[in-house]
Amino acid sequence: MKKEFEKNQTVLKMIDIMYEEFKDTRIKGSLIQPEKRLKPLLEEDVLKRQKKLKSKKKKEDLGLFEGQIDFEEEQDRLSLLQSEKELTKYLEHVHNNAIRNNDINNQLFANEAKKSLTVLNIFLQKYDVVVTNPPYMGKSNMNEVLKEFINNNYKIANNDLYSTFIIRVMDFLDKDGFTGMITQESFMFIKSYEELRKFILSNAYIYKFAHLGTRAFDDISGERVSTSMFILKKTKEANNQSIFIKLDEYKNSLSKLKQLENKDNWFYLNQTFFSKLEGSPFLYYLPEEIKKILGTNSTFLELFGEAKTGINTGNNDYFVKFWWEINGKSDRNFVPYAKGGGSEKYYGALKTVVDWRPEKMKEYKGCRLMNQNLFFKEGLTFSGVGSKGFGIRYLPEGHIFDSGGSFVNIFDHVDKFYVLGILASDFSEYLLNLFNPTINFKNNDIHRLPAVIDIEYQEKISDNVKKIIQLKKELLSYDDTEINFDINNYLKNDGSINSIVGKLLSIEKEYLLLVEKNNSLVNELYQLSENTISFIKDKVKQSRKIIDNIPNMEDFDEWYGKEGKNVNRLNLINYIEDSNHIPTLILKEIFVTFSSVLIGLVFGRWKIQGFDNIQKDGIIILNNDFIEDVIYELIEIIFGEDNFERVIDEELPLILGKDLLSWYQKDFFEEHIKKEQYQNRPIYWHICSQNKTFNAILYYHALNSDTLYKLKSNHLKPMMENLKGDLSFYREKMRTADDKKSAKQFEKRVVELEKQINDLEVFDKQIDEIIASGYEPDIDQGVLYNIKPLNPILAKKIEK
């Protein structure tokens, strides 16, 4: 082909460009941009033709056809595709010859090349209207070819395929042309789309924008896809008001459709407002008061400090443990580690430690050790993910921080507790949800928050936050998974479990009232009106799915079982105080921890006066003797002799719905490993035979190479021998019975004993297999490493 056009350099260059640009079109689709390289080439060719035409006409006397030269120039300008026509004619010639000669390869070549020219014709045109629903595909799901192409050609929109099409569509539009699109909503708010938003604001007028949110389409269920629908006009001038329609709070496509024309959902504003905001988020539905604050106040980054991302160890399973897995007994360099923490506010979520050996970490792929100059420094930390809201907390000195628990480095001249009060307020949470309406929180989201320093309010907010933190520490000290757990909380009671729970709830109420006070102080600081405060409260409650109203009903416990997790805690505590009734589920939540505390006392994890029955070998046999001789003794010491029978006979059956032995054999371990407790890293291990003839609890921190041998020789073997003795006794009774009825009873007992012995023999064999496998506990490796080999004999398997 090149030989055919060796005298026409324009066609040759066209061939090269088309070959390069149309490569991998099945992957790139209409995102390819051949016209951007071909158009300058064709325009250059037109200029050459026009110059040649003028030169030729000058040598001729046109007479009556004087205006013909202008006409021909205009025709040539309108048809930039003379070279393309020559190429098309040649391709038709190749195709016809290929058919005559039955040459399949040349037929295919000519067909594909002509298709490319057809596409090129489409791309070279400008359009008044372009409408599309582009494909959605995040960067992480793209193959390397597509990812590299998008990074090179659509850098400001390279997070998703849909966002690249917003730019591509603008290429196709003529001046003052319109595009209508349906895309995901993520480009409206989050930091990574900032440049795309600036591009839209600089090159288009947002004519109308419907914010659809989730469930806009019946065939896409759940909360997976949040969508938007909009019309843009290609123009540099955007002086008119834009219309935004807020439909994201309606729960299905039909209700969204019905509400589309409801003017209460319409917001009018000039899009230039977005450019005044840090990151240019499309925060169209803000009250005017908040628009003013965002448009005029300094930012967090300017006045308060900077959020910094922490480390990725490269291998969390090896380096990161809960503090109770190590408990100070390790040859490795474990230090406190701020990692995540969900939506916890003010203080807490400091349960992890990290083996801080940077050189060792660097051996693992994915290791990133950033911002080490801030390690062990006092400051704030927040969770990267919070399904129940933004979690920001005070971080004492001495911690390293994780990529999922960023560190907020507050300027030295600024009060950290003042900043914490602002960040933990409903006002900040509302703004963060605007900046990034997902459950994720990024450093740049924090940086965009409006900041203000007021000496009077700084002192008020700081003092209040310090009181909040102290109360939060008191609340956490009831939890045995907290490093500052205090056993005395359970010893200071009025003779009942109810009194412990009541004390805990009264502390929580005081804490919640101070949290409300913090919100009020922050609202005053930013001079928010009552209407705006009410608006913010409603939005925050919606995002957290909080229920305010508590029904007055007889079956309150049943209602609490369904709605308790979402109920307004302050309202709930007030209701409990007024009704003098604590829901059974709340009592049970505290008892779960209390039952763990009792086991810890038996193993000597904590010590209390008057109790010496400590199991130093780290083995408890779960039977009636243990409950009656050990647990009952503890309950009597903790609640007092006068209250013992009431706790045992009245409180515990009401809370548990069963006796204590059944609780420990059937429920304890399952509760112990839950997320709210030891998070699949238990320190009290319930091992048992398959039919639970034998039940024991092993203490992780007393575990050694002799533990399983001791279990067999000191507990399992004697039990088997006793049962075998009973079996011999009842077999003899059955053989010598005087009547059939007695014989039948003895036979039943024989069958039962045979099953129990068989159960123990299988269990004994399982233990032998674990020992034979070379099981050697190593506390330095953490719970998971040590517990997984025991899965065959655990009451519930721990896999990860």
Side-chain angles (χ1 to χ4, degrees), residues 323-325 327 479-483 485 487 596-608 614-615 672 678 683-684 699 701:
W323 70 266
W324 58 77
E325 297 185 70
N327 203 25
D479 183 352
D480 66 326
T481 67
E482 291 289 334
I483 200 163
F485 169 76
I487 186 64
S596 176
V597 170
L598 292 177
I599 297 297
L601 287 167
V602 176
F603 282 135
R605 191 178 177 198
W606 311 283
K607 291 181 172 59
I608 61 173
I614 295 171
Q615 308 299 306
H672 183 58
Y678 280 80
I683 57 172
Y684 310 131
Y699 182 33
H701 285 294

Side-chain angles (χ1 to χ4, degrees), residues 697-736:
I697 292 179
L698 304 183
Y699 182 33
Y700 169 67
H701 285 294
L703 205 63
N704 57 47
S705 55
D706 293 330
T707 299
L708 293 181
Y709 289 106
K710 289 178 183 177
L711 183 75
K712 278 170 59 73
S713 60
N714 296 344
H715 304 286
L716 182 58
K717 290 295 183 185
M719 186 176 181
M720 290 175 70
E721 289 170 6
N722 288 337
L723 289 176
K724 286 178 180 178
D726 289 348
L727 180 62
S728 297
F729 173 79
Y730 282 103
R731 278 177 175 169
E732 180 62 21
K733 283 283 188 181
M734 183 177 70
R735 189 180 67 79
T736 59

Side-chain angles (χ1 to χ4, degrees), residues 252-365:
N252 57 64
S253 58
L254 184 60
S255 60
K256 291 176 194 290
L257 182 62
K258 286 181 179 178
Q259 293 295 328
L260 186 62
E261 297 299 326
N262 182 352
K263 294 298 190 292
D264 290 340
N265 298 319
W266 288 37
F267 295 79
Y268 301 85
L269 76 162
N270 193 302
Q271 69 186 54
T272 55
F273 165 71
F274 299 142
S275 299
K276 297 176 184 178
L277 305 179
E278 177 67 25
S280 305
F282 289 2
L283 302 180
Y284 62 90
Y285 46 90
L286 300 183
E288 290 301 320
E289 207 171 346
I290 294 178
K291 285 181 186 176
K292 183 179 178 182
I293 290 172
L294 291 176
T296 59
N297 275 60
S298 299
T299 65
F300 185 99
L301 190 61
E302 292 169 328
L303 286 190
F304 288 160
E306 186 175 10
K308 291 288 190 178
T309 301
I311 67 171
N312 283 329
T313 66
N315 186 348
N316 277 357
D317 288 341
Y318 178 78
F319 289 105
V320 181
K321 310 295 176 191
F322 290 108
W323 70 266
W324 58 77
E325 297 185 70
I326 306 305
N327 203 25
K329 301 174 182 177
S330 176
D331 295 328
R332 290 162 66 180
N333 185 35
F334 283 102
V335 299
Y337 191 43
K339 183 181 187 298
S343 301
E344 196 85 44
K345 287 184 187 288
Y346 293 103
Y347 185 83
L350 299 175
K351 296 183 178 181
T352 49
V353 292
V354 64
D355 180 10
W356 180 233
R357 289 183 289 161
E359 295 308 314
K360 180 71 174 175
M361 290 178 180
K362 290 175 185 176
E363 296 175 9
Y364 293 91
K365 185 179 179 181

